[in-house]
Amino acid sequence: MSHEITLTVNGHAHTRTVEARLLLSDFLRHELGLTGTHVGCEHGVCGACTILLDGVPVRSCLTFAVQANGHEIMTVEGLGHDPENLHPLQQSFWESHGLQCGFCTPGFLMTLLPFLQENPDPSEQEIREAISGNLCRCTGYQFIVDAVKLAAQKMGEPQP
Amino acid sequence: MKPAAFDYHAPTTLDEALALLAAYGDEAKILAGGQSLIPAMNFRLAQPAILVDINPVTTLVGIHAEGDGGLRIGTMTRQRTVEHSDLVAARAPLLAETMPHIAHPQIRNRGTFGGSLAHADPASELPAVAVALGMTLRAQSTRGERDIDATDFFQGLFATALEPDEMLIEVLIPALPARTGTAFAEVARRHGDYAMAGAAAVVTLAEDGTIAACKLVYLSIGDAPVESHSAASALLGVIPTDEAIRAAAEAMEQDIDPLGDIHATAAYRRHLAKVLARRTLASAVARARN
């Protein structure tokens, strides 16, 4: 059974016909070509597919594309576009070595963006709880925590 | 790792949703937050022919203050909303204390209050808290509405008192009596993982400082929430000293028969249950005294 859906992704409206069983993660990657959203475990444990649905971070592998009809999505592609124009959060991950292989990074960024907007000066404990739903097998998390602290600082400064 | 095909319905009213359940019965599954159902479908452990997505039914969302000091929570209220509700913090502090232990923030943004109860996973937190607080679960079908006590609602592994055509629509949480303290604790390998064991305690003191009422309910210890009546009777009418609480934790042991799995052996779960009994009862007593 197919359904026509219209949704906004990173500010652009898209209309597609999808099967009900198509996961939002696969819709973003295969239908829209937004491969920044990574697919790890597909059962909600790893956090690599985290996106913003109406501004809040959710697992795109645990939502059907058809459920996003009429809603607003933001993926990692909605942050900075190229190395010269990174979002301060991305820049902080770069500067603090908050990634190695980078597979988990989009999920971390999409989890952390609303977290830092709501909580501009988080404690280390709050940061660790905020990222508890995202797995990273490279960094050991310490440099990610450092990156979040740096990002909080950068995002607190007035933007040029 | 992709779900099998299904027919998708997204009713916008409760009546439409109930009509679909009445028409399809066993063949249909309700899609609430989907944070347990969709993983099961991705693994093809669940292959429902029909999904009834109740996310568009906005009347099922909300946290309401009841006149008697209690609360009424709509089944589709997101777990994150319950977690951050001042009303819940004031009237059901046990629930507020428990919410951050449920999975991860991203899951709680999508997961619903009623969905977790209706799913009845023995390792999940809300069923145990529902029994501890004596919640009433209100179900509706095209045949009518009925109220089910939490104690009768949970019937075993993923099994509830709900009939295939019934939907959990809201949950009533009674007001806490005066001089009542509550506490929740669980032990998990990592924050957000399924707990190896967890406990919720509700203690009411009499004016003379003895225990007038006590509930101790476990998650991840049996195939449904496990209430320790022995711990409660050991404490009734006594002054809750450290020794009395220790004795209640010992008495609790006869009420449980935990199984071992890859996360924890049966003996370790038994050990955790005792530690959690002491911790939660002691904090509940301390809070009741304040």
Side-chain angles (χ1 to χ4, degrees):
Chain A
M1 199 151 113
S2 292
H3 303 264
E4 186 177 281
I5 59 169
T6 299
L7 65 170
T8 307
V9 181
N10 302 328
H12 303 285
H14 298 272
T15 299
R16 291 285 190 285
T17 300
V18 297
E19 253 193 282
R21 63 170 165 165
L22 184 66
L23 297 171
L24 181 56
S25 46
D26 288 335
F27 173 81
L28 293 169
R29 292 175 57 84
H30 303 302
E31 288 289 327
L32 302 187
L34 297 172
T35 51
T37 299
H38 290 169
V39 170
C41 71
E42 286 194 318
H43 63 284
V45 172
C46 76
C49 70
T50 304
I51 51 115
L52 302 189
L53 174 65
D54 296 332
V56 297
V58 304
R59 310 285 204 225
S60 60
C61 78
L62 298 188
T63 307
F64 293 112
V66 64
Q67 292 187 280
N69 186 25
H71 291 272
E72 203 161 304
I73 305 285
M74 181 177 170
T75 68
V76 71
E77 286 89 346
L79 290 172
H81 290 283
D82 55 70
E84 275 67 50
N85 295 293
L86 292 179
H87 186 277
L89 180 56
Q90 291 169 304
Q91 188 67 38
S92 305
F93 264 68
W94 184 336
E95 289 174 19
S96 304
H97 304 281
L99 67 149
Q100 287 177 34
C101 84
F103 189 85
C104 68
T105 312
F108 271 92
L109 296 175
M110 299 321 283
T111 297
L112 287 164
L113 182 68
F115 170 72
L116 285 174
Q117 285 163 347
E118 276 167 33
N119 188 349
D121 186 23
S123 67
E124 173 152 348
Q125 183 59 31
E126 286 169 332
I127 294 171
R128 289 188 181 274
E129 279 182 27
I131 61 172
S132 66
N134 294 77
L135 295 183
C136 171
R137 303 287 77 172
C138 301
T139 61
Y141 302 102
Q142 186 53 51
F143 289 170
I144 294 180
V145 173
D146 295 345
V148 183
K149 287 181 184 164
L150 182 61
Q153 230 175 55
K154 283 187 196 284
M155 288 167 72
E157 290 163 5
Q159 299 299 310
Chain B
M1 289 299 290
K2 304 294 172 193
F6 56 85
D7 283 346
Y8 174 81
H9 297 272
T12 54
T13 66
L14 179 60
D15 285 345
E16 275 178 79
L18 296 177
L20 286 162
L21 292 182
Y24 296 115
D26 264 342
E27 273 188 290
K29 276 293 255 183
I30 298 171
L31 175 59
Q35 303 302 285
S36 298
L37 177 59
I38 300 180
M41 291 177 68
N42 285 353
F43 280 121
R44 299 208 176 187
L45 294 170
Q47 300 194 16
I50 290 149
L51 275 196
V52 179
D53 180 359
I54 56 170
N55 282 276
V57 186
T58 49
T59 53
L60 296 173
V61 177
I63 301 173
H64 312 277
E66 295 289 88
D68 62 356
L71 285 173
R72 184 163 54 85
I73 302 184
T75 199
M76 282 301 287
T77 310
R78 306 283 171 196
Q79 289 158 5
R80 200 81 164 134
T81 310
V82 177
E83 180 182 352
H84 291 292
S85 158
D86 292 337
L87 202 52
V88 170
R91 295 193 172 195
L94 178 62
L95 193 51
E97 187 182 9
T98 303
M99 297 311 292
H101 292 279
I102 302 173
H104 307 293
Q106 298 99 323
I107 302 285
R108 298 197 293 278
N109 277 333
R110 195 87 188 130
T112 63
F113 188 68
S116 177
L117 292 166
H119 185 54
D121 186 328
S124 65
E125 289 81 1
L126 290 180
V129 171
V131 173
L133 288 179
M135 294 187 197
T136 299
L137 289 84
R138 184 164 287 164
Q140 200 177 329
S141 69
T142 51
R143 296 172 291 124
E145 191 180 280
R146 66 180 177 126
D147 286 351
I148 308 165
D149 283 345
T151 323
D152 303 321
F153 186 82
F154 302 102
Q155 300 191 334
L157 198 64
F158 304 111
T160 69
L162 289 175
E163 298 294 332
D165 65 338
E166 277 182 319
M167 186 195 296
L168 179 62
I169 55 159
E170 59 187 12
V171 178
L172 308 171
I173 306 176
L176 290 175
R179 296 181 301 276
T180 297
T182 61
F184 180 87
E186 68 175 34
V187 180
R189 295 271 180 212
R190 285 164 298 270
H191 185 90
D193 274 9
Y194 282 116
M196 294 178 286
V202 181
V203 173
T204 304
L205 298 177
E207 274 184 49
D208 62 0
T210 59
I211 290 194
C214 170
K215 269 196 177 187
L216 176 65
V217 186
Y218 286 100
L219 56 111
S220 271
I221 284 293
D223 62 4
V226 175
E227 184 173 353
S228 172
H229 297 285
S230 304
S233 20
L235 283 170
L236 277 186
V238 306
I239 299 276
T241 57
D242 287 351
E243 293 74 47
I245 287 172
R246 204 168 279 276
E250 296 291 332
M252 173 280 300
E253 277 214 83
Q254 61 189 288
D255 295 338
I256 61 168
D257 187 17
L259 294 175
D261 58 25
I262 55 164
H263 303 293
T265 61
Y268 184 52
R269 279 215 162 83
R270 190 168 276 280
H271 167 76
L272 289 178
K274 242 155 94 167
V275 172
L276 289 167
R278 289 202 298 266
R279 283 186 194 163
T280 54
L281 288 170
S283 339
V285 165
R287 289 169 183 174
R289 282 175 177 151
N290 286 325

